[in-house]
């Protein structure tokens, strides 16, 4: 790994969030209050130091960068108002942009007008592309799903998935290689970090931490206790994540059932039909989580919501439109006759959902993959990962 310092790293990171940690004098207050810091006393200060001295490679290969949930305790108590929590969030955006070779992520983060334009144009492209092959509008409720040919949606969906998988895997490989190299050189230098079991690490990273939100729920509890249970950030975060994953799973299963000839996509089924039920519950969770995130940001409620980047809004708006239009389509499907508005809502839903998935590796959403990867590496060390490095 190159140990060359990158001049201007701090100002580059600043483009990803309005934070300035140049005033940090490493007093250690943030470490003392951070619920994720460990006894060696370097988290999150070490990340700040890397940025101050231009150690880009060290910063990008720090798995600890992804353990922070931006609770904001450290920012509240920083004597120089350096906003270490905000810095960690900006550094993660910087990392997502750095892992992405296409530079689309950098554009989405650092050029808000252009990024918003890309998002709008992409939605328009999908809408026009689908509309060009649209079928007839009739009163029959099944006609709603025939408006955009099923085969076209599936083929476009497969292309989108392939692009996302390639972009996502390239980013993960860059990140994982960086962390692996660093871990290896630390082991060679005799700096702790013996490797634990692979399966246990996978279970901890994916099951316990990512799906179960253990640390967000338990370790960051002090900050969350001030809120009623239904507004706690871990729950809002989890509802959004579970909702999105549930909807993705319901879509894939629906596609699988159509391929197997069990049922055609969009054919009317009872509300308790497994894929329908999964989609409905996941949709409610997604809309709840995203709406709460939006409310928090509008109210500037909590450190993480005090300042919003345009990219934060882009993601939230796309998620919200996807969730709400999905429900409207479901309502239209159960009406005795397909309503005229149902066709346009269906077109909007499909277009925005495809755009959302396509842009996932280039927006904040990418952390849903990078965080588990980092947590996996953390779980494989003896320290079992609480931020110490
Ligand atoms: S509390 Fe502020 S000044 Fe002190 S180490 Fe943390 S970021 Fe730096
Ligand atoms: S989890 Fe992040 S935001 Fe919260 S105190 Fe620790 S470093 Fe700061």
């Amino acid at each position: 790994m190159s140990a060359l310092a990158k001049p201007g790293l701090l100002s580059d990171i600043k483009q990803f969030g309005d934070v300035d940690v140049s005033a940090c004098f490493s007093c250690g207050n943030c470490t003392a209050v951070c619920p994720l810091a460990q006894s060696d006393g370097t988290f999150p200060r070490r990340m700040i130091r890397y940025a101050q001295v231009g150690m880009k490679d060290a910063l990008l290969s720090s798995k600890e960068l992804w353990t922070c949930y931006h609770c904001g305790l450290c920012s509240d108590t920083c004597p120089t108002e350096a906003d270490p929590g905000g810095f960690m969030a900006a550094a993660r955006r910087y990392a997502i942009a750095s892992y992405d070779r296409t530079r689309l992520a950098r554009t989405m983060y650092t050029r808000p007008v252009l990024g918003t334009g890309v998002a709008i144009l992409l939605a328009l492209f999908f809408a026009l592309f689908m509309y060009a092959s649209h079928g007839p509008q009739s009163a029959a409720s099944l006609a709603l799903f025939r408006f955009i040919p099923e085969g076209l949606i599936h083929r476009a969906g497969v292309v989108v998935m392939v692009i996302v998988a390639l972009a996502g895997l390239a980013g993960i490989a860059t990140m994982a290689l960086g962390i692996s190299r660093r871990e290896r050189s630390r082991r060679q230098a005799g700096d702790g970090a013996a490797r634990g079991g692979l399966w246990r690490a996978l279970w901890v990273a994916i099951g316990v931490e990512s799906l179960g939100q253990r640390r967000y729920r338990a370790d960051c509890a002090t900050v969350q206790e001030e809120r009623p249970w239904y507004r706690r950030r871990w729950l809002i975060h989890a509802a959004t994540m579970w909702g999105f994953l549930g909807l993705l799973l319901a879509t894939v299963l629906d596609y699988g059932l159509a391929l197997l000839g069990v049922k055609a996509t969009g054919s009317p089924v009872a509300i308790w039909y497994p894929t329908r039920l999964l989609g409905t519950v996941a949709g409610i969770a997604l809309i709840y989580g995203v709406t709460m995130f939006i409310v928090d940001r509008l109210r500037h409620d909590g450190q993480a919501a005090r300042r919003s980047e345009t990219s934060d809004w882009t993601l939230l708006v796309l998620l919200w439109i996807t969730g709400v239009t999905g429900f409207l389509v479901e309502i239209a499907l159960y009406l005795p006759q397909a309503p005229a508005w149902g066709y346009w809502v269906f077109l909007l839903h499909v277009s925005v959902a495809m755009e959302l998935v396509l842009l996932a590796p280039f927006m904040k959403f990418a952390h849903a993959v990078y965080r588990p990867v980092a947590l996996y590496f953390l779980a494989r060390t003896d320290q079992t990962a609480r931020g110490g490095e």
Side-chain angles (χ1 to χ4, degrees), residues 30-31 33-37 43-45 65 67-75 77 83-86 88 92 220 223 303:
C30 49
T31 304
V33 297
C34 176
L36 303 179
F43 179 82
R45 285 185 292 162
L65 188 60
T67 60
C68 161
Y69 284 101
H70 201 177
C71 69
L73 267 181
C74 53
S75 298
T77 53
D83 189 7
M88 294 292 276
R92 283 190 292 276
C220 299
V223 195
Q303 268 288 347

Side-chain angles (χ1 to χ4, degrees), residues 127-143:
L128 289 174
F129 176 69
M130 304 273 176
Y131 184 73
S133 311
H134 77 88
Q137 295 182 29
S138 76
S141 70
L142 249 182

Side-chain angles (χ1 to χ4, degrees), residues 27 34 59 66 114 120 195 208 227 233 248 281 291 294 299 352:
C27 70
C34 176
L59 182 68
W66 301 90
L114 187 59
I120 293 171
R195 281 154 73 85
V208 179
R227 297 172 151 226
R233 284 193 67 81
L248 202 60
V281 174
T291 304
I294 290 175
R299 288 182 177 170
V352 174

Side-chain angles (χ1 to χ4, degrees), residues 156-170:
V158 169
V159 172
V160 165
M161 287 292 194
V162 169
I163 294 173
V164 168
L166 289 176
L169 285 175

Side-chain angles (χ1 to χ4, degrees), residues 165-355:
L166 289 176
L169 285 175
I172 291 170
T174 307
M175 176 197 194
L177 278 174
I179 297 179
S180 292
R181 272 194 223 116
R182 183 146 191 232
E183 294 294 304
R184 202 177 317 122
S185 55
R186 287 178 59 207
R187 275 197 303 279
Q188 283 165 358
D191 184 13
R195 281 154 73 85
L198 182 142
W199 294 111
R200 182 193 153 276
L202 279 175
W203 164 244
V204 170
I206 297 172
V208 179
E209 297 293 357
S210 300
L211 294 174
Q213 308 265 290
R214 183 187 63 85
R215 268 186 292 180
Y216 205 177
R217 196 165 25 91
D219 292 357
C220 299
T222 339
V223 195
Q224 313 203 36
E225 275 161 11
E226 299 159 2
R227 297 172 151 226
W229 66 268
Y230 57 88
R231 290 203 52 225
R232 292 195 176 160
R233 284 193 67 81
W234 81 264
L235 183 66
I236 296 174
H237 188 261
T240 308
M241 178 186 63
W242 293 335
F244 184 82
L245 289 178
L247 283 175
L248 202 60
L249 183 63
T251 308
V252 171
L253 288 175
D254 219 39
Y255 181 45
L257 291 176
L259 275 183
L260 293 172
V262 177
K263 84 171 193 58
T265 306
S267 53
V269 286
I271 190 74
W272 53 82
Y273 193 82
T275 51
R276 172 73 66 207
L277 192 59
L278 174 63
T280 304
V281 174
I284 291 171
L286 180 76
I287 293 174
Y288 173 73
V290 177
T291 304
M292 284 296 166
F293 270 135
I294 290 175
V295 169
D296 278 354
R297 287 197 181 274
L298 288 174
R299 288 182 177 170
H300 305 286
D301 193 351
Q303 268 288 347
R306 214 160 277 176
R307 224 174 7 223
S308 299
E309 305 298 324
T310 308
S311 54
D312 294 325
W313 285 114
T314 306
L315 178 60
L316 288 176
V317 167
L318 289 179
L319 281 168
W320 197 82
I321 292 177
T322 305
V324 170
T325 52
F327 260 108
L328 290 175
V329 170
E330 189 161 354
I331 290 169
L333 268 178
Y334 283 100
L335 292 176
Q337 295 192 329
W341 56 263
Y343 293 94
W344 307 110
V345 172
F346 181 51
L347 182 65
L348 179 64
H349 176 71
V350 176
S351 309
V352 174
M354 286 217 181
E355 175 192 14

Side-chain angles (χ1 to χ4, degrees), residues 23-31 45 48 74 77-80 82 84:
C24 166
F25 62 104
S26 215
C27 70
N29 232 359
C30 49
T31 304
R45 285 185 292 162
I48 296 172
C74 53
T77 53
C78 172
T80 61

